[in-house]
Amino acid sequence: MIELVDVVKRFGDFVAVDHVSLNIEKGEKIVIIGPSGSGKTTLLKMINFLQKMDSGRIMMEGEEVGYRRDKKGRLILEKPEIICRLRSEIGMVFQHFYLFPHMTALDNVMEGPVTVKKQSIKEAREIALDLLGKVGLLDKKDVYPAFLSGGQKQRVAIARALAMKPMLMLFDEPTSALDPELVGEVFNTIKALAEEGMTMLIVTHQMGFAREMADRVIFMDEGRFIFEGHSQDVFSDRMDNPRVKAFLDKVL
Amino acid sequence: MEIVICRLSAVITALSLSIIFLISPASILAQPDKYEVLAQATRLVNSGDLEGALVLYRQIPAPQENEEGGVFVRSRMEAAKIYFSMKRYDDSEQMCMEILRIYPDNLEAKNLIKQVATAQTPKWLGFLKDMQTYLPTLLRATVMTLILVIITMIVSPIAGLFIALGRISRVRFVSSIFWCYIWVFRGTPLLLQLFFIYYGLPPLGITLDPFTAAVLGLGLNYSAYLAEIIRGAIESIDPGQMEAAKSIGMTYWQAMRRIIVPQTYKRLMPPVGNEFIALIKDTALVSTIAMVELMRAADQIFNATFNIFILIQAAIIYLILTSIFTVSFKKLEDRLGVYENR
């Protein structure tokens, strides 16, 4: 469905993502693990065009999207309208939620359908109420984010992304900023979403995601995919990649 | 020959004397010494003997029925003035009253009585009276100050927002134009800008009335200040907010309008409130370009009365205005922050 081909991103001399290719099939759940600074978040942001890649290709349904090339072959982001349309098809959930603080939970979820998709308030409201019910926060619909717990904020953020009816959901360390006792509710929300067949790419330090819902686990380090495989392979005793082992020993 | 002339002049003198005697009013004939007394008194005044003069003046009796009273009025008036200069206000008033008893419409006497009353009231009471007299004028001028403040308060945040957005534009050319604007209008005195607009533009063929010039000067200047404040507020919003807005498919401008700028409102209140308080005081500067507002009105009245309390009164009006603004901005700030958990 979505494919990255030979993607590179540099920050000055530092290579954040180093010739990475990744194919995401419809309905697939991919979990990316790896130490901090290994380029996981940068990779996610490039899929959503929040980060411009330096070279490579992004394909959607077999077609290259999002970039043009100038005479020297350098990549140029497409016009904002095109980028915005592409982004609206990909949902993203951030480590720090980034809910809009000046809007209630309901307004946060309605914002995308109303402003971007130009849906009617009534229609958007129905969608939003439905999604808030799904993440179990219908009773918090008129509450401002500042009055929600971290776990509740993240569930509203998930509902906000889902309101755009994305074909792919990107999760950037969705539980890392949460108190340990709040991780479960967000985890369960994402798990329920996975069970509905949503295609998703999850960057996380929470091994539960990898173990319980990943079709594929990717270990990323220094901008490269070091290891790719089923979750059983990663967590089995047969795991022989020393870097993966060292990392797992630390986090588990 | 000489004898003839002498005789002739003697005859003429005799004739003219007899004519004067024939046509002169009976009063002069009856009391020929009235004029003499008046003249005598005047001589005493000139020689410095005021007491003596007063005695003489007061000797001149009130006119009888049908009698011409010019000398009497003159004498009492002179006496009243002398008493006034000696600060013997009761005597001065009494002299005036003597005139008014016979001639109730005598303006000179009436005026002097008024002066006596003013001279007898303490200075602070006079000042208080002035304050009361000129308060309506000051309040009318305050309305003009408020009009200037309100227009600037409406224009400058809107213009400031556009300048701020231009300033943070990624298009180099656009951002440098707005940088220049802010640089010029924040970096030069408002007074100079007002002078330039009002006195400097006419030679270039653009003549503005004081009001337009004042609004333009204040608007341009405050837009520049507010632009910098708004820019700071926009840049203080977590960049994650822009990312989140973009991630649901918003364009840059949609994100600005719906997500970023509304979040700045609350943060803007303290610095913008400060600016508007400064603005209330800065409107005083437009008094230099012939705008009649509170400061200029106070200045004009002060120059006419030398009453320091007029300035204090103007200061109090300014204080009331700034206090109202301070309180309302605090209220507004609290209300805009309802979404914050404190």
Side-chain angles (χ1 to χ4, degrees):
Chain A
M1 188 173 69
I2 292 178
E3 196 180 356
L4 306 184
V5 183
D6 219 16
V7 169
V8 177
K9 176 69 192 178
R10 292 185 193 87
F11 294 108
D13 287 337
F14 176 70
V15 186
V17 174
D18 192 2
H19 297 278
V20 162
S21 294
L22 172 67
N23 188 20
I24 308 166
E25 295 294 341
K26 189 166 171 52
E28 201 176 12
K29 290 107 184 85
I30 300 173
V31 171
I32 302 180
I33 56 174
S36 301
S38 59
K40 310 182 299 288
T41 299
T42 309
L43 185 70
L44 275 198
K45 284 188 178 174
M46 280 194 290
I47 296 174
N48 211 2
F49 305 97
L50 286 172
Q51 212 40 279
K52 184 176 164 286
M53 61 183 184
D54 292 323
S55 70
R57 240 176 289 181
I58 296 179
M59 324 277 283
M60 221 175 245
E61 313 286 7
E63 247 179 87
E64 191 178 349
V65 292
Y67 291 90
R68 286 175 289 136
R69 286 184 172 72
D70 68 5
K71 284 168 222 145
K72 289 177 189 162
R74 279 181 306 207
L75 290 176
I76 301 168
L77 263 182
E78 285 278 14
K79 285 193 294 264
E81 307 90 81
I82 296 174
I83 297 298
C84 286
R85 197 174 39 74
L86 290 169
R87 277 190 194 130
S88 71
E89 305 208 8
I90 300 168
M92 183 148 181
V93 173
F94 301 86
Q95 178 181 356
H96 296 290
F97 332 125
Y98 296 142
L99 285 182
F100 307 135
H102 57 304
M103 297 179 178
T104 61
L106 183 64
D107 287 338
N108 262 278
V109 182
M110 284 171 67
E111 185 59 22
V114 171
T115 303
V116 179
K117 284 189 165 175
K118 310 288 180 203
Q119 287 177 336
S120 71
I121 301 280
K122 191 168 166 282
E123 203 181 346
R125 199 181 149 84
E126 267 168 37
I127 294 170
L129 287 173
D130 183 45
L131 285 169
L132 281 179
K134 213 159 124 183
V135 298
L137 288 173
L138 204 51
D139 57 326
K140 299 285 184 191
K141 67 183 167 62
D142 296 321
V143 175
Y144 286 103
F147 300 92
L148 296 173
S149 73
Q152 290 168 333
K153 280 185 208 172
Q154 196 59 299
R155 282 143 69 198
V156 173
I158 291 169
R160 178 178 69 181
L162 290 175
M164 295 301 290
K165 305 226 180 305
M167 60 178 193
L168 167 68
M169 282 287 281
L170 306 173
F171 291 90
D172 184 11
E173 305 198 17
T175 56
S176 297
L178 298 177
D179 292 338
E181 72 269 24
L182 299 176
V183 169
E185 56 185 272
V186 173
F187 183 86
N188 289 334
T189 305
I190 296 173
K191 196 173 172 194
L193 199 59
E195 278 157 11
E196 279 177 28
M198 173 61 76
T199 312
M200 40 203 210
L201 187 58
I202 305 169
V203 165
T204 185
H205 288 139
Q206 197 75 35
M207 288 309 135
F209 284 105
R211 220 175 299 177
E212 287 196 35
M213 56 183 101
D215 295 321
R216 198 154 33 123
V217 177
I218 296 170
F219 181 83
M220 198 170 173
D221 195 10
E222 291 178 342
R224 283 189 214 122
F225 288 175
I226 303 295
F227 176 85
E228 238 181 298
H230 284 284
S231 55
Q232 298 97 304
D233 301 337
V234 176
F235 297 108
S236 75
D237 298 334
R238 281 173 285 122
M239 182 74 235
D240 52 2
N241 187 310
R243 276 152 90 180
V244 179
K245 260 178 125 171
F247 176 73
L248 289 178
D249 283 345
K250 253 185 263 167
V251 293
L252 285 178
Chain B
M1 187 62 190
E2 287 171 3
I3 299 164
V4 174
I5 292 169
C6 276
R7 279 200 179 161
L8 205 63
S9 60
V11 169
I12 290 168
T13 313
L15 263 174
S16 51
L17 270 175
S18 63
I19 289 168
I20 290 170
F21 272 68
L22 277 172
I23 60 165
S24 292
S27 57
I28 300 175
L29 291 173
Q31 294 175 314
D33 61 322
K34 244 179 8 181
Y35 293 95
E36 186 48 41
V37 174
L38 200 60
Q40 179 78 32
T42 308
R43 274 195 295 278
L44 284 179
V45 170
N46 288 341
S47 68
D49 181 9
L50 294 179
E51 290 294 343
L54 282 171
V55 171
L56 285 179
Y57 280 134
R58 296 185 71 162
Q59 276 173 6
I60 294 173
Q64 303 299 314
E65 204 91 2
N66 298 328
E67 196 183 346
E68 203 272 332
V71 176
F72 166 74
V73 171
R74 176 82 195 286
S75 67
R76 291 302 184 276
M77 211 53 232
E78 289 301 322
K81 282 179 191 166
I82 292 168
Y83 280 132
F84 187 81
S85 70
M86 296 164 82
K87 300 199 171 164
R88 286 162 66 178
Y89 297 120
D90 288 343
D91 291 331
S92 180
E93 194 174 353
Q94 197 199 327
M95 291 298 105
C96 293
M97 290 311 290
E98 280 182 26
I99 297 171
L100 290 174
R101 221 171 286 136
I102 303 168
Y103 304 103
D105 294 327
N106 187 295
L107 264 182
E108 214 181 346
K110 274 187 181 171
N111 276 336
L112 193 60
I113 282 189
K114 242 185 239 170
Q115 281 185 41
V116 167
T118 317
Q120 275 178 307
T121 47
K123 214 163 192 178
W124 61 269
L125 207 67
F127 279 163
L128 274 184
K129 256 190 150 164
D130 273 359
M131 285 169 74
Q132 202 183 354
T133 314
Y134 293 113
L135 183 63
T137 315
L138 284 181
L139 288 180
R140 268 195 300 279
T142 307
V143 171
M144 182 44 82
T145 292
L146 270 177
I147 288 174
L148 287 172
V149 167
I150 288 168
I151 292 179
T152 312
M153 269 179 62
I154 294 168
V155 170
S156 59
I158 297 170
L161 175 61
F162 280 102
I163 296 162
L165 290 172
R167 177 80 180 76
I168 59 176
S169 167
R170 282 156 301 181
V171 183
R172 207 47 178 293
F173 175 69
V174 174
S175 95
S176 44
I177 284 179
F178 288 104
W179 181 87
C180 277
Y181 176 89
I182 293 167
W183 180 60
V184 169
F185 281 93
R186 250 175 27 132
T188 56
L190 173 58
L191 191 57
L192 188 148
Q193 292 163 21
L194 288 168
F195 272 37
F196 185 85
I197 292 167
Y198 187 64
Y199 299 112
L201 290 183
L204 305 175
I206 306 165
T207 306
L208 300 170
D209 60 278
F211 181 76
T212 313
V215 166
L216 200 63
L218 289 170
L220 288 171
N221 186 269
Y222 272 84
S223 298
Y225 273 99
L226 287 191
E228 277 301 86
I229 292 172
I230 293 169
R231 181 178 72 96
I234 289 175
E235 286 176 348
S236 78
I237 302 293
D238 190 329
Q241 290 290 319
M242 181 55 98
E243 281 196 340
K246 283 181 169 177
S247 81
I248 56 170
M250 284 194 189
T251 63
Y252 175 81
W253 292 110
Q254 281 173 335
M256 272 294 170
R257 187 169 54 84
R258 300 280 309 167
I259 309 300
I260 308 298
V261 172
Q263 286 184 51
T264 64
Y265 294 158
K266 197 219 160 207
R267 294 178 197 201
L268 282 174
M269 281 312 125
V272 168
N274 258 345
E275 282 302 309
F276 286 159
I277 284 162
L279 166 67
I280 294 173
K281 296 176 289 164
D282 272 356
T283 54
L285 290 174
V286 307
S287 62
T288 55
I289 57 165
M291 266 305 285
V292 179
E293 39 62 73
L294 182 51
M295 184 61 221
R296 191 173 170 94
D299 184 42
Q300 284 173 339
I301 298 168
F302 178 70
N303 277 329
T305 60
F306 288 107
N307 180 350
I308 192 77
F309 289 94
I310 293 294
L311 295 184
I312 293 174
Q313 205 171 12
I316 290 170
I317 295 176
Y318 276 119
L319 273 174
I320 291 171
L321 292 184
T322 50
S323 304
I324 291 172
F325 271 63
T326 310
V327 173
S328 356
F329 270 91
K330 183 77 193 101
K331 284 249 167 72
L332 202 58
E333 184 191 343
D334 292 344
R335 196 187 299 174
L336 287 171
V338 286
Y339 57 78
E340 285 183 352
N341 187 359
R342 274 164 304 153

